[in-house]
Amino acid sequence: MAEPELVDKVAIVVNDEIVLFSEITETLSQFATKLQGLTEENRAAKLKQLRDEIIDRTVDERLMKQQIRDLKYTVSEKEVDASIERIMHQNNIPDMTTFRAVLRRQGLDWDEYRQKVSDQLKEWQFVNAKVGNRVKISDEEVDEEFAKQQVTRTPEYEYHARHMLFKVDSTAAEDQVFAAKMRAEDALDRVRQGENFSVLAEKLSDGPSAKFGGDIGFNKAKDMVPEFSKAMVALQPGEVSEPVRTKYGFHIILLEEKREVAPPGGEEIKQRIRMQLREEEMKRQMAIWLKDLRRKAYIEIKIDDYHPSNEQANEVP
């Protein structure tokens, strides 16, 4: 007679709890389809690596849940509701009816989903209580990470300029164009001889900024007509351009100041960086705490060819 097939067996013992082999293989099966392009040998090696990582993670999860259970952490219904509302807001879900429909399409039961959110909140409270006071993120760390992220960013500048405009239509006759250009060159000569640019602009310019001494304030190059922008960005502060022809006529440009534009939402980006750094440090501190907890716990891995990850190698009895 054939021996009866072993349907399931104990894979892990964590203190007073057992984890069945089927729980490990069920989680592992979720990754199997992603490894279809590998050779059989490589696929088997990768699956074994993933299985061992799942075992390590399962041990940590059980240890944490046991601690949460023993310390009797609880969260209120209001806290769960508030967390779900945040999730809806982050995912642009307008109302609860729509949210429940989304969950149903994903095969999630509402009560089970609420329980999952509750468990996550308990875990977060527990982690924060255990290691939160060890995590300090300084402004210097945030600024350093922000600077790293800006290395690949192309700097953007704003230009504070004055100009004198000598109007001439783009379809004007040659003699009119010549006359406008001569006016511009005459104004440029007077500036080079030492006359005040803003005073001359107020007297000679045909542009609406004449009454402000030609001052057009700070502008980005992309906001100006191309010919004007090209001439403006080529100047250093204090320099004056040659006559520049645009569809409006001839311009003489004085660059007063050039400044770099802060990245859009710089403070918002820094806040995200601070949260990211805090989360990473929380995970690091939690890993240290879990290693210590492993040393004090009873853990038995009932899988012969299991090899713990480097992080856990010295922590499994």
Side-chain angles (χ1 to χ4, degrees):
M1 293 179 62
E3 293 184 3
E5 181 181 356
L6 183 62
V7 176
D8 210 344
K9 62 180 181 179
V10 174
I12 312 170
V13 179
V14 184
N15 291 323
D16 58 351
E17 287 188 65
I18 63 170
V19 179
L20 296 176
F21 195 79
S22 59
E23 296 179 55
I24 303 298
T25 54
E26 182 180 353
T27 304
L28 186 61
S29 66
Q30 299 172 12
F31 298 93
T33 56
K34 299 179 181 179
L35 305 177
Q36 290 179 346
L38 300 178
T39 64
E40 191 63 32
E41 183 179 356
N42 290 340
R43 185 172 182 273
K46 185 64 176 177
L47 282 171
K48 184 179 180 302
Q49 178 190 341
L50 287 170
R51 184 205 64 187
D52 291 350
E53 291 173 359
I54 290 167
I55 291 171
D56 290 337
R57 189 166 63 247
T58 300
V59 170
D60 286 344
E61 289 173 352
R62 290 302 171 98
L63 285 171
M64 187 177 294
K65 286 180 179 178
Q66 288 170 10
Q67 288 283 303
I68 293 170
R69 177 198 65 197
D70 294 345
L71 294 172
K72 296 180 171 60
Y73 272 82
T74 60
V75 294
S76 67
E77 291 298 310
K78 286 185 178 181
E79 289 175 296
V80 175
D81 290 339
S83 182
I84 289 175
E85 286 179 10
R86 284 194 298 271
I87 293 168
M88 291 171 58
H89 177 72
Q90 291 165 0
N91 291 276
N92 297 315
I93 298 175
D95 52 56
M96 190 59 68
T97 301
T98 303
F99 189 47
R100 287 188 181 228
V102 170
L103 292 177
R104 282 196 299 271
R105 287 197 296 270
Q106 295 176 354
L108 297 174
D109 176 79
W110 175 246
D111 291 334
E112 290 178 355
Y113 180 77
R114 284 186 64 86
Q115 185 59 51
K116 181 179 179 181
V117 171
S118 177
D119 291 342
Q120 289 174 342
L121 287 172
K122 290 176 189 176
E123 183 176 318
W124 171 248
Q125 287 182 4
F126 174 75
V127 170
N128 198 53
K130 285 295 178 184
V131 301
N133 61 340
R134 305 180 196 175
V135 179
K136 307 293 182 186
I137 305 300
S138 67
D139 291 342
E140 289 75 14
E141 290 175 285
V142 174
D143 290 341
E144 182 180 351
E145 181 61 27
F146 180 79
K148 288 179 183 178
Q149 293 185 13
Q150 298 307 303
V151 169
T152 56
R153 185 183 70 89
T154 302
E156 187 176 15
Y157 296 95
E158 287 182 327
Y159 301 84
H160 179 198
R162 294 178 185 269
H163 81 128
M164 286 183 262
L165 171 63
F166 303 92
K167 283 187 176 180
V168 62
D169 193 82
S170 57
T171 59
E174 286 187 16
D175 59 333
Q176 293 174 309
V177 173
F178 180 78
K181 186 177 182 182
M182 287 301 98
R183 290 177 60 210
E185 289 183 348
D186 179 64
L188 179 58
D189 287 340
R190 292 174 66 176
V191 170
R192 286 174 173 168
Q193 289 170 16
E195 292 193 51
N196 185 280
F197 190 100
S198 60
V199 172
L200 284 174
E202 192 171 350
K203 292 178 180 179
L204 305 176
S205 177
D206 299 326
S209 65
K211 60 184 176 182
F212 305 113
D215 193 342
I216 57 173
F218 277 98
N219 293 277
K220 296 176 182 176
K222 64 182 181 181
D223 297 330
M224 314 301 286
V225 292
E227 301 87 352
F228 191 102
S229 290
K230 184 177 179 181
M232 180 178 68
V233 302
L235 297 172
Q236 294 300 317
E239 291 183 343
V240 179
S241 72
E242 295 289 335
V244 179
R245 177 75 188 273
T246 73
K247 61 183 179 180
Y248 301 110
F250 289 92
H251 305 257
I252 304 296
I253 306 168
L254 166 65
L255 182 62
E256 296 270 19
E257 185 181 352
K258 172 184 176 181
R259 68 185 182 192
E260 186 171 349
V261 180
E267 287 308 313
E268 182 181 345
I269 293 172
K270 286 187 178 183
Q271 184 62 24
R272 288 203 301 268
I273 290 172
R274 186 180 297 277
M275 292 174 64
Q276 176 188 339
L277 292 177
R278 179 174 173 79
E279 183 177 343
E280 290 171 358
E281 182 60 15
M282 290 276 278
K283 287 179 180 178
R284 193 181 76 83
Q285 291 292 340
M286 198 63 194
I288 294 171
W289 182 82
L290 280 167
K291 282 184 179 183
D292 183 62
L293 187 60
R294 274 175 172 256
R295 282 192 288 266
K296 301 173 183 176
Y298 175 77
I299 301 169
E300 184 179 359
I301 311 297
K302 294 178 172 290
I303 300 174
D304 293 337
D305 62 345
Y306 161 73
H307 295 286
S309 64
N310 292 334
E311 292 78 6
Q312 311 294 358
N314 299 320
E315 309 305 328
V316 180

